[in-house]
Amino acid sequence: MRSQLTRNAHRRLLAGGPGAPPCPASVLSSYHARARCLAASTPSLTLTTPPRRTFFGVFKKPARELKAPDVPPGYETLLQFRALEVEDARPPEREGLVTGFKEFFNHMRKRGGAAKIGRRISVPGSINSTQAFLAVRLLRHLLSTEGGGDSFTFADLKLILEIAVQPPRGKADNHLELVRLVYGETKRRIDHMRTIGLSEEEITQAIGISDRDQSTFFAYFITALTRFGASQEAVERMNDYQENLPKPSRVGAYTDDSVKVIQKANGMWMRVLRGLANEGLEDELIRSFSKLVKENGVKYLAGVHEILTTFYAERNRVEETKKWFSKPLFAGSINSETYMAVVRFALRNNEQEWLESVMEGVVNSKPTKQVWDVVFQWAVLAKGKGVEDIKGMFKVMGSQKTEDPSRKLEPDGDTINSLISAAAEINNPYLAERFATLGRELRIPPTIQTMLIQLDYRLDAGDMSGAAEVYGKLQKVVQGDEDVPVVNKYLRTLCASSQPPLERIISVTADLEHRHITLEPETTRSLCGVFLRFDQQFEVIDTLSLHTVSYSLEERAIVRQAMMDYITDRKISTARVWDCYQLLKQFFPETSTDERVRLMDSFFDRKRPDMACYIFGHMRGHGNPAQRPNSDIYVKCFEGIGRFPDAESLRMVHNMLKMDTTVEMNTKLYNGLMLAYAACGDPIDALGFWRDITNSREGPSYNSLAIVMWACELAPRGEETAREIWKKMVRMDLEIPKVVFDGYLGALAASGKAQEEVKKLIGEMERGLGLGYGVGVETLGVTFNAIPTMEGKNAFADWAKVEHPEVWGELEKTGRRETIDGPKYNIERRFEA
């Protein structure tokens, strides 16, 4: 059943996670009230229009129900505890925490458990990095409080290990820490039992496992080390473990139990070797193998042969690959996985001649059916063989003598699947279809794997009708989740088409929802993009509700980034992107301040300061103090209002600043306020902030001077303040930037009484006088625009055309606009705080 935890409560809970800060306390602290009082904590879960009483209303469809998230049972407990931990609040009762913790891991086991380890997709039963982080925090608390781990049996701890060692879809940042914690607890208990004098038989009975050396938990620990990037440590742990292995009383005199223990140890060593290979630790890999040969009597069998040969083959090291591949096995034969790795290695490195000799030797060595399948793939990949050639090779395989004369080697479903895969690998969908037809001719029924391969290569070939046909057949026979990766790819391909088939997309997502399948984050991103494009807000809400709740923070970032890109796309209407922002705000409370500032700037660029300031307000009201705006973000907002004035928005943000005890006023903030108030037509208040700057310890900056000159230009009798400031700058012998000089000219010109003085200053500017700059377009434009009368503007224009004809010509190229204050040239004056 789907959890009854509301979307809104759970979304807000997910604002926290690993990293810094790990969880916003003020967001998570509301969990208890939300869980207890559902109706009071969230908006209605149905979207309805205001009721109207009409006769025909009885025939209307009921309001659509929004789908609740598929929250794993017990997960709320993990989130709740982390919320209170961040706030340093008292945690709930221990019994409830233990029950929720066990319920969560029992649910993950039922979703697949440890049986499907090693798959490349999101394994049912695996936990993501965020869930692992929350589990670590809660389990560490439970193990450290009174009673320790008494609430967890060895069976409980083993279950946690089974789940924790499974590789997740994304990062595994916290899985190893969880395994260390659980393994440490099991080791502590076993050591304690030995300390108090329990026999090994009593310990074994208490643990509930059959191995006398209690190595089961250690095996899980080694598995985790090798899977999660700590194989070097696994070597050290195994070396210590090796010291305690049974020693023979005389040469070769091992007991049966000792042999089992040593065999299990060698099995763990194989995992360590594979882990070293995966991490690229060549020296340690060779050193560990040599030690195993010398001390444990490990032979060069097919498993080791695969690890070493594949290690060098994947790195395209030709000589080493040939050396380890050609090294004779102690017993048995080379497995099919090694042969396939060598085939691809030879094709990548132009070693077809060597490969052909290898394959000839294979054919003449009475290979197994699995190895024959590799030979067929080699014929397609390297030799370009077609259907008729493969039929001939089938006959050769069938003529091979076997140990049981009554059983001939014949192609089967795996053979056909391998051939179809080879054809798809060389981008030959026509050949792949012919191999599928060959299977039908040989009365080999297609397997689920056949359909998965067909769906995959048809998608690559752009055959959407063919893909739809295969998908329909697949849904009738699929029982597990083996189709999930390719169906995700199917959905992404549908979404990426020029005209996405909306009904088809919704139908496929409904199939997956019915099976309680969580989509890959890349698929959720694509779906949201299509649904937003078609104004399907309900579908966006449902998609986010059902799937993002199960994502780690890294996976959620993939979906969030797509919504960010949509919102900041200037080609999309403001109404649409605002709707998308509302969803982003609700579903992704973890959105960082940098991302929110980017959104705020995008709405300023759309000339919607009201919307931009609402985004600022949402940031200011965020439950996590770390995600609230600092002084720099306040300044950025004021600068945006300075570019696109909105007096109401300015008052709203200024009031927030007044009540924000975490922000200390400084020159940049005063500059921002001065700029915003001047832009919103209130230069008198703007000059008040100038006085605050001059009275502050920090004092004015050059940006302050540029802004205050503009405020003086706009203020009644502002030239008086401008003259005072100018005199002080001259008296202090300050270097005067051009923007400040131009602003001073504008302030004088705005009075309508100082045209001659302005002309004189421009003349001095033209003569240099050590200023480092001359008359520019901005100089004449600012002055002209500031002159209040048409007569004065014309007189100045006549003078400028004579004295500075070239600069005036450049100014006229900018064009003029008519305003209530007369004509003005289109020069941009952009100030920074």
Side-chain angles (χ1 to χ4, degrees):
M1 289 182 63
R2 294 196 180 278
S3 169
Q4 294 305 307
L5 181 68
T6 64
R7 284 191 322 279
N8 190 49
H10 195 78
R11 286 196 304 270
R12 292 171 67 82
L13 289 167
L14 281 180
C23 244
S26 57
V27 173
L28 296 175
S29 63
S30 63
Y31 173 81
H32 295 292
R34 293 178 182 278
R36 289 193 302 264
C37 190
L38 207 58
S41 63
T42 59
S44 172
L45 292 181
T46 58
L47 297 183
T48 60
T49 56
R52 291 181 300 168
R53 297 183 62 185
T54 65
F55 173 77
F56 292 101
V58 298
F59 300 109
K60 289 185 177 180
K61 292 182 180 180
R64 171 170 173 174
E65 294 283 339
L66 296 179
K67 298 170 184 175
D70 193 3
V71 184
Y75 191 37
E76 300 96 320
T77 302
L78 275 66
L79 292 161
Q80 173 189 0
F81 171 77
R82 180 57 183 161
L84 297 174
E85 183 187 39
V86 169
E87 294 182 339
D88 200 19
R90 181 178 179 179
E93 292 296 327
R94 175 186 177 82
E95 182 179 351
L97 293 176
V98 172
T99 300
F101 189 92
K102 291 183 178 180
E103 187 179 30
F104 174 71
F105 277 92
N106 280 319
H107 173 75
M108 303 312 291
R109 177 184 60 183
K110 293 175 183 178
R111 292 182 62 182
K116 298 181 180 178
I117 289 178
R119 296 177 55 183
R120 294 175 57 194
I121 63 169
S122 177
V123 182
S126 65
I127 56 177
N128 61 44
S129 61
T130 301
Q131 291 168 335
F133 170 80
L134 296 172
V136 167
R137 302 304 304 179
L138 177 51
L139 185 59
R140 180 171 288 138
H141 165 76
L142 293 173
L143 295 178
S144 63
T145 54
E146 184 178 354
D150 294 345
S151 301
F152 295 94
T153 65
F154 277 102
D156 293 329
L157 297 174
K158 182 181 176 184
L159 171 61
I160 299 171
L161 288 174
E162 288 177 350
I163 300 300
V165 298
Q166 297 185 57
R169 174 175 49 212
K171 295 181 179 180
D173 294 340
N174 301 287
H175 288 64
L176 184 54
E177 185 178 1
L178 178 58
V179 172
R180 287 185 194 278
L181 185 62
V182 177
Y183 173 68
E185 175 63 14
T186 63
K187 189 173 184 301
R188 183 193 65 78
R189 292 191 191 184
I190 293 173
D191 290 345
H192 175 70
M193 286 189 281
R194 289 193 177 117
T195 301
I196 63 177
L198 292 183
S199 66
E200 292 301 311
E201 288 77 9
E202 290 173 319
I203 294 175
T204 298
Q205 185 177 5
I207 296 175
I209 59 176
S210 58
D211 295 326
R212 293 177 63 85
D213 66 333
Q214 297 96 36
S215 62
T216 298
F217 296 106
F218 181 70
Y220 278 121
F221 182 47
I222 291 298
T223 299
L225 291 174
T226 58
R227 283 185 175 163
F228 302 136
S231 295
Q232 187 72 55
E233 181 184 347
V235 172
E236 298 171 4
R237 297 278 188 164
M238 284 300 300
N239 286 334
D240 294 339
Y241 180 75
Q242 189 88 14
E243 296 296 323
N244 297 319
L245 289 180
K247 302 295 189 296
S249 57
R250 63 182 187 277
V251 178
Y254 284 100
T255 65
D256 290 342
D257 286 344
S258 297
V259 170
K260 290 181 181 179
V261 171
I262 293 173
Q263 287 176 343
K264 189 165 187 176
N266 288 341
M268 287 189 280
W269 269 115
M270 290 302 101
R271 297 178 209 170
V272 174
L273 294 180
R274 195 173 296 277
L276 292 170
N278 291 337
E279 295 175 34
L281 302 175
E282 179 183 1
D283 293 341
E284 189 60 53
L285 173 63
I286 301 301
R287 184 163 50 247
S288 297
F289 171 64
S290 300
K291 183 177 180 180
L292 285 174
V293 171
K294 181 179 180 181
E295 298 182 6
N296 284 33
V298 170
K299 307 300 182 183
Y300 194 59
L301 299 175
V304 179
H305 178 267
E306 179 198 350
I307 293 172
L308 293 170
T309 301
T310 303
F311 174 80
Y312 290 107
E314 289 177 346
R315 288 157 180 77
N316 299 317
R317 292 172 62 174
V318 176
E319 296 306 318
E320 291 91 340
T321 302
K322 292 180 179 180
K323 169 190 170 183
W324 288 102
F325 177 78
S326 303
K327 186 178 177 67
L329 299 186
F330 177 78
S333 57
I334 300 173
N335 61 37
S336 58
E337 290 81 2
T338 307
Y339 277 122
M340 201 64 234
V342 166
V343 168
R344 292 196 169 93
F345 153 78
L347 293 176
R348 287 196 306 270
N349 294 277
N350 196 28
E351 291 287 337
Q352 286 90 335
E353 184 176 344
W354 172 79
L355 178 61
E356 186 161 357
S357 66
V358 170
M359 289 294 108
E360 287 178 358
V362 170
V363 172
N364 295 327
S365 66
K366 295 184 179 181
T368 63
K369 163 64 176 52
Q370 291 75 19
V371 175
W372 267 112
D373 288 347
V374 176
V375 174
F376 300 143
Q377 291 184 77
W378 161 72
V380 174
L381 293 171
K383 307 296 289 183
K385 300 296 185 182
V387 173
E388 296 304 321
D389 300 311
I390 296 299
K391 284 182 179 180
M393 296 180 70
F394 285 170
K395 293 179 181 179
V396 175
M397 178 179 69
S399 66
Q400 177 181 309
K401 294 181 179 180
T402 61
E403 295 180 359
D404 183 358
S406 64
R407 296 186 61 184
K408 295 177 59 178
L409 291 180
E410 295 179 340
D412 58 11
D414 290 338
T415 307
I416 298 301
N417 291 343
S418 65
L419 288 168
I420 296 174
S421 296
E425 191 171 332
I426 59 176
N427 297 317
N428 192 336
Y430 173 72
L431 181 59
E433 293 291 350
R434 291 202 61 195
F435 282 133
T437 302
L438 175 62
R440 292 192 292 271
E441 291 175 358
L442 298 175
R443 297 184 180 180
I444 300 174
T447 64
I448 292 177
Q449 187 63 27
T450 308
M451 298 179 191
L452 294 176
I453 299 170
Q454 284 185 304
L455 180 55
D456 189 55
Y457 74 70
R458 287 183 180 182
L459 291 174
D460 289 338
D463 180 10
M464 300 310 296
S465 60
E469 178 187 354
V470 175
Y471 174 79
K473 295 178 181 178
L474 185 61
Q475 296 312 299
K476 295 177 182 178
V477 297
V478 70
Q479 295 179 341
D481 65 342
E482 58 267 38
D483 65 324
V484 171
V486 73
V487 173
N488 271 269
K489 181 178 179 179
Y490 181 37
L491 277 172
R492 291 194 295 269
T493 305
L494 289 172
C495 293
S497 58
S498 57
Q499 294 294 327
L502 191 59
E503 292 185 6
R504 182 64 179 166
I505 291 172
I506 294 175
S507 174
V508 175
T509 56
D511 291 342
L512 294 175
E513 179 194 338
H514 180 71
R515 294 164 54 193
H516 291 258
I517 298 296
T518 298
L519 295 174
E520 296 170 4
E522 295 81 6
T523 306
T524 299
R525 175 183 62 190
S526 299
L527 287 173
C528 289
V530 169
F531 293 149
L532 288 168
R533 174 179 169 186
F534 285 92
D535 292 324
Q536 297 289 321
Q537 283 196 7
F538 280 102
E539 298 299 338
V540 178
I541 294 171
D542 286 344
T543 300
L544 294 175
S545 295
L546 292 173
H547 302 292
T548 58
V549 71
S550 300
Y551 292 163
S552 67
L553 290 179
E554 293 79 11
E555 292 170 329
R556 288 168 62 83
I558 294 173
V559 184
R560 185 177 72 245
Q561 186 57 50
M563 298 184 75
M564 289 281 301
D565 293 340
Y566 182 90
I567 296 170
T568 55
D569 188 345
R570 294 295 300 275
K571 299 176 183 177
I572 302 172
S573 71
T574 301
R576 281 184 170 183
V577 300
W578 183 252
D579 289 340
C580 183
Y581 166 73
Q582 296 286 3
L583 296 177
L584 177 75
K585 177 173 71 74
Q586 291 295 321
F587 282 94
F588 298 94
E590 72 269 25
T591 304
S592 68
T593 51
D594 289 342
E595 291 171 319
R596 292 172 189 265
V597 168
R598 178 184 164 201
L599 295 176
M600 181 181 73
D601 286 342
S602 73
F603 280 98
F604 275 128
D605 292 339
R606 289 176 179 270
K607 300 182 180 180
R608 289 303 304 263
D610 53 335
M611 292 180 172
C613 290
Y614 274 125
I615 294 175
F616 180 90
H618 298 151
M619 201 184 331
R620 175 66 180 84
H622 200 285
N624 181 6
Q627 291 180 279
R628 294 174 189 164
N630 55 25
S631 61
D632 289 337
I633 298 176
Y634 272 100
V635 168
K636 203 164 187 63
C637 185
F638 288 135
E639 287 177 339
I641 297 174
R643 288 186 291 128
F644 304 103
D646 186 326
E648 184 176 349
S649 297
L650 172 58
R651 286 193 295 272
M652 178 182 74
V653 177
H654 191 189
N655 286 335
M656 293 179 190
L657 176 60
K658 291 176 182 177
M659 300 182 67
D660 196 335
T661 59
T662 65
V663 175
E664 185 176 349
M665 295 302 297
N666 56 32
T667 296
K668 287 187 69 175
L669 268 172
Y670 284 127
N671 287 347
L673 285 166
M674 182 165 54
L675 171 62
Y677 272 92
C680 291
D682 194 351
I684 301 300
D685 282 347
L687 291 176
F689 296 117
W690 166 254
R691 288 188 288 273
D692 290 333
I693 293 174
T694 57
N695 293 329
S696 69
R697 180 182 301 178
E698 186 178 359
S701 64
Y702 279 117
N703 288 343
S704 306
L705 296 172
I707 297 169
V708 74
M709 289 299 179
W710 183 47
C712 290
E713 176 185 328
L714 301 175
R717 302 179 64 180
E719 80 281 359
E720 296 177 5
T721 303
R723 290 182 190 278
E724 292 175 5
I725 297 171
W726 183 263
K727 290 177 181 177
K728 193 170 184 179
M729 287 192 294
V730 172
R731 185 170 63 252
M732 297 176 65
D733 195 25
L734 293 179
E735 181 180 344
I736 302 174
K738 186 174 184 298
V739 64
V740 176
F741 197 108
D742 292 343
Y744 178 57
L745 294 176
L748 295 179
S751 67
K753 306 173 183 177
Q755 280 209 37
E756 294 304 318
E757 184 179 356
V758 168
K759 293 175 183 178
K760 179 181 178 182
L761 287 171
I762 293 176
E764 293 176 353
M765 188 180 189
E766 179 67 18
R767 291 191 293 275
L769 298 180
L771 293 174
Y773 46 79
V775 178
V777 172
E778 294 80 7
T779 307
L780 300 183
V782 167
T783 305
F784 179 88
N785 291 348
I787 296 174
T789 65
M790 195 64 227
E791 180 182 356
K793 288 179 182 289
N794 290 336
F796 180 78
D798 293 339
W799 173 83
K801 289 176 184 178
V802 175
E803 297 295 329
H804 309 285
E806 294 182 1
V807 179
W808 185 260
E810 292 297 319
L811 176 62
E812 288 187 326
K813 291 179 182 179
T814 64
R816 295 204 306 188
R817 65 185 186 280
E818 292 297 328
T819 71
I820 58 175
D821 297 323
K824 292 188 177 182
Y825 283 99
N826 298 320
I827 58 171
E828 182 180 5
R829 299 178 71 181
R830 186 161 182 168
F831 299 97
E832 293 183 359

